[in-house]
Amino acid sequence: TITLGLDRADLPVGGIGLIPVTGIVRTNGFAAPVEVTLVGIDGISGTVTIAAGANPQPTAPLFLTLTSKPGTKPVASVGQIHAKAVVDGKPLLRIVASIDNAKAALAAMPNPPQEMTTQFAVAVTPEAPFTLELKLEKAEVAKGGVFKGKIVARRADKFTDEIVISATHFPVTVVPKLLPIAKAATEAVIELSIPAALPPGAGTLIFKGTAKVNGKDVTVTAPAVAITVTEPPKVEPPKVVPPKK
């Protein structure tokens, strides 16, 4: 059973949309990889593979990245999320159901209609006048260290307004230091301080930028970047050399 953090996503023309995969329930010793894919919406695609034995969590999800073909027009569409795996040498397919999300959308209805629990909505929105990319100096930092990098903006002609940067996914106890991308500038420095008490392991950083376009807020998400937090290197005590007799 696959759990998603959303039952709908926005996808700007020429940009990306992100669907968090927040859980998987494995039974009977099943530990094989699982491919999770959006299907049923013409011109829009996305897939992510849950590695063998992996178990994404709400605080450490995987992200299914949505993209659209060139020429896709702004429109709202409905598809499904399929999960595929090989079990005992045979292909197995399951339609991912978002029961809790459907209940929340239907005023806590205890048993929402099945067709609503297996739908996934994607709204293709007009092309934004900028895109974002996160560039880190290093993707691996020891506990107590700092991830350093920058958010790079590619602006459309004549778009020069400030872009406010915010972090939408990062380890809970990490302290981000973010600056906006100033008017007419193309990048801003970011820093994320890693507490010494943070458990080591893999994670994901996701940032978004918001700017005013014709008086309205337009938000763009940068592609997710994988990071790793490690234990600090062991410091060997200095060797004591006995005095010569």
Side-chain angles (χ1 to χ4, degrees), residues 190-209:
I190 63 106
E191 291 186 0
L192 294 101
S193 299
I194 307 299
L198 186 73
T204 304
L205 297 179
I206 299 176
F207 290 84
K208 65 180 182 181

mmCIF file of all heavy atoms in Angstrom, residues 190-209:
data_model
loop_
_atom_site.group_PDB
_atom_site.id
_atom_site.type_symbol
_atom_site.label_atom_id
_atom_site.label_comp_id
_atom_site.label_asym_id
_atom_site.label_seq_id
_atom_site.Cartn_x
_atom_site.Cartn_y
_atom_site.Cartn_z
ATOM 1 N N ILE A 190 22.214 30.605 0.054
ATOM 2 C CA ILE A 190 21.457 29.916 1.103
ATOM 3 C C ILE A 190 22.426 29.142 1.982
ATOM 4 O O ILE A 190 23.481 28.706 1.532
ATOM 5 C CB ILE A 190 20.368 28.979 0.526
ATOM 6 C CG1 ILE A 190 21.018 27.852 -0.300
ATOM 7 C CG2 ILE A 190 19.382 29.732 -0.314
ATOM 8 C CD1 ILE A 190 20.996 26.531 0.400
ATOM 9 N N GLU A 191 22.041 28.983 3.255
ATOM 10 C CA GLU A 191 22.798 28.161 4.202
ATOM 11 C C GLU A 191 21.812 27.391 5.056
ATOM 12 O O GLU A 191 20.775 27.910 5.451
ATOM 13 C CB GLU A 191 23.690 29.024 5.097
ATOM 14 C CG GLU A 191 24.859 29.680 4.399
ATOM 15 C CD GLU A 191 25.790 30.392 5.371
ATOM 16 O OE1 GLU A 191 25.505 30.370 6.599
ATOM 17 O OE2 GLU A 191 26.789 30.967 4.912
ATOM 18 N N LEU A 192 22.145 26.129 5.340
ATOM 19 C CA LEU A 192 21.328 25.305 6.228
ATOM 20 C C LEU A 192 22.243 24.665 7.267
ATOM 21 O O LEU A 192 23.089 23.852 6.931
ATOM 22 C CB LEU A 192 20.578 24.218 5.457
ATOM 23 C CG LEU A 192 19.515 24.731 4.489
ATOM 24 C CD1 LEU A 192 20.048 24.704 3.070
ATOM 25 C CD2 LEU A 192 18.250 23.903 4.580
ATOM 26 N N SER A 193 22.067 25.093 8.531
ATOM 27 C CA SER A 193 22.897 24.581 9.620
ATOM 28 C C SER A 193 22.330 23.250 10.112
ATOM 29 O O SER A 193 21.134 23.140 10.413
ATOM 30 C CB SER A 193 22.939 25.585 10.770
ATOM 31 O OG SER A 193 23.510 26.812 10.331
ATOM 32 N N ILE A 194 23.180 22.234 10.188
ATOM 33 C CA ILE A 194 22.765 20.900 10.587
ATOM 34 C C ILE A 194 23.088 20.696 12.069
ATOM 35 O O ILE A 194 24.265 20.738 12.460
ATOM 36 C CB ILE A 194 23.488 19.826 9.754
ATOM 37 C CG1 ILE A 194 23.313 20.108 8.256
ATOM 38 C CG2 ILE A 194 22.994 18.440 10.118
ATOM 39 C CD1 ILE A 194 21.874 20.105 7.794
ATOM 40 N N PRO A 195 22.079 20.485 12.906
ATOM 41 C CA PRO A 195 22.347 20.279 14.330
ATOM 42 C C PRO A 195 23.193 19.027 14.568
ATOM 43 O O PRO A 195 23.072 18.034 13.843
ATOM 44 C CB PRO A 195 20.948 20.111 14.940
ATOM 45 C CG PRO A 195 20.015 20.717 13.941
ATOM 46 C CD PRO A 195 20.637 20.489 12.609
ATOM 47 N N ALA A 196 24.010 19.071 15.597
ATOM 48 C CA ALA A 196 24.856 17.918 15.923
ATOM 49 C C ALA A 196 24.021 16.715 16.356
ATOM 50 O O ALA A 196 24.478 15.572 16.272
ATOM 51 C CB ALA A 196 25.845 18.300 17.022
ATOM 52 N N ALA A 197 22.789 16.968 16.818
ATOM 53 C CA ALA A 197 21.932 15.872 17.291
ATOM 54 C C ALA A 197 21.105 15.229 16.175
ATOM 55 O O ALA A 197 20.414 14.238 16.414
ATOM 56 C CB ALA A 197 20.988 16.399 18.376
ATOM 57 N N LEU A 198 21.164 15.766 14.953
ATOM 58 C CA LEU A 198 20.371 15.209 13.862
ATOM 59 C C LEU A 198 20.895 13.826 13.486
ATOM 60 O O LEU A 198 22.088 13.660 13.256
ATOM 61 C CB LEU A 198 20.428 16.132 12.640
ATOM 62 C CG LEU A 198 19.529 15.732 11.466
ATOM 63 C CD1 LEU A 198 18.079 16.022 11.800
ATOM 64 C CD2 LEU A 198 19.930 16.483 10.201
ATOM 65 N N PRO A 199 20.017 12.828 13.410
ATOM 66 C CA PRO A 199 20.487 11.489 13.019
ATOM 67 C C PRO A 199 21.067 11.506 11.605
ATOM 68 O O PRO A 199 20.543 12.207 10.724
ATOM 69 C CB PRO A 199 19.220 10.625 13.088
ATOM 70 C CG PRO A 199 18.281 11.374 13.973
ATOM 71 C CD PRO A 199 18.590 12.826 13.755
ATOM 72 N N PRO A 200 22.118 10.765 11.337
ATOM 73 C CA PRO A 200 22.672 10.717 9.979
ATOM 74 C C PRO A 200 21.726 9.995 9.039
ATOM 75 O O PRO A 200 20.881 9.199 9.457
ATOM 76 C CB PRO A 200 23.974 9.931 10.168
ATOM 77 C CG PRO A 200 23.739 9.101 11.392
ATOM 78 C CD PRO A 200 22.855 9.911 12.279
ATOM 79 N N GLY A 201 21.859 10.291 7.743
ATOM 80 C CA GLY A 201 21.021 9.624 6.755
ATOM 81 C C GLY A 201 20.782 10.511 5.548
ATOM 82 O O GLY A 201 21.280 11.635 5.458
ATOM 83 N N ALA A 202 20.003 9.977 4.607
ATOM 84 C CA ALA A 202 19.684 10.709 3.380
ATOM 85 C C ALA A 202 18.457 11.576 3.585
ATOM 86 O O ALA A 202 17.589 11.277 4.412
ATOM 87 C CB ALA A 202 19.463 9.728 2.232
ATOM 88 N N GLY A 203 18.363 12.644 2.817
ATOM 89 C CA GLY A 203 17.219 13.546 2.888
ATOM 90 C C GLY A 203 17.033 14.275 1.575
ATOM 91 O O GLY A 203 17.719 14.017 0.584
ATOM 92 N N THR A 204 16.103 15.204 1.577
ATOM 93 C CA THR A 204 15.770 15.959 0.376
ATOM 94 C C THR A 204 15.572 17.423 0.732
ATOM 95 O O THR A 204 14.963 17.739 1.761
ATOM 96 C CB THR A 204 14.478 15.424 -0.269
ATOM 97 O OG1 THR A 204 14.614 14.033 -0.536
ATOM 98 C CG2 THR A 204 14.185 16.141 -1.583
ATOM 99 N N LEU A 205 16.079 18.298 -0.121
ATOM 100 C CA LEU A 205 15.847 19.739 0.026
ATOM 101 C C LEU A 205 14.981 20.218 -1.125
ATOM 102 O O LEU A 205 15.251 19.897 -2.288
ATOM 103 C CB LEU A 205 17.168 20.512 0.020
ATOM 104 C CG LEU A 205 18.159 20.230 1.143
ATOM 105 C CD1 LEU A 205 19.411 21.077 0.952
ATOM 106 C CD2 LEU A 205 17.538 20.485 2.509
ATOM 107 N N ILE A 206 13.952 20.982 -0.789
ATOM 108 C CA ILE A 206 13.092 21.577 -1.813
ATOM 109 C C ILE A 206 12.847 23.035 -1.446
ATOM 110 O O ILE A 206 12.448 23.345 -0.321
ATOM 111 C CB ILE A 206 11.747 20.836 -1.937
ATOM 112 C CG1 ILE A 206 11.967 19.382 -2.351
ATOM 113 C CG2 ILE A 206 10.846 21.519 -2.961
ATOM 114 C CD1 ILE A 206 10.707 18.559 -2.415
ATOM 115 N N PHE A 207 13.094 23.914 -2.420
ATOM 116 C CA PHE A 207 12.879 25.338 -2.225
ATOM 117 C C PHE A 207 11.893 25.845 -3.269
ATOM 118 O O PHE A 207 11.769 25.289 -4.365
ATOM 119 C CB PHE A 207 14.194 26.107 -2.355
ATOM 120 C CG PHE A 207 15.145 25.870 -1.215
ATOM 121 C CD1 PHE A 207 15.991 24.767 -1.209
ATOM 122 C CD2 PHE A 207 15.186 26.739 -0.142
ATOM 123 C CE1 PHE A 207 16.857 24.544 -0.169
ATOM 124 C CE2 PHE A 207 16.053 26.526 0.916
ATOM 125 C CZ PHE A 207 16.894 25.429 0.899
ATOM 126 N N LYS A 208 11.207 26.914 -2.911
ATOM 127 C CA LYS A 208 10.314 27.561 -3.866
ATOM 128 C C LYS A 208 10.542 29.062 -3.825
ATOM 129 O O LYS A 208 11.085 29.606 -2.846
ATOM 130 C CB LYS A 208 8.846 27.240 -3.564
ATOM 131 C CG LYS A 208 8.330 27.783 -2.244
ATOM 132 C CD LYS A 208 6.868 27.417 -2.029
ATOM 133 C CE LYS A 208 6.326 27.995 -0.720
ATOM 134 N NZ LYS A 208 4.907 27.621 -0.500
ATOM 135 N N GLY A 209 10.156 29.716 -4.893
ATOM 136 C CA GLY A 209 10.269 31.167 -4.975
ATOM 137 C C GLY A 209 8.940 31.772 -5.362
ATOM 138 O O GLY A 209 8.212 31.210 -6.195
#
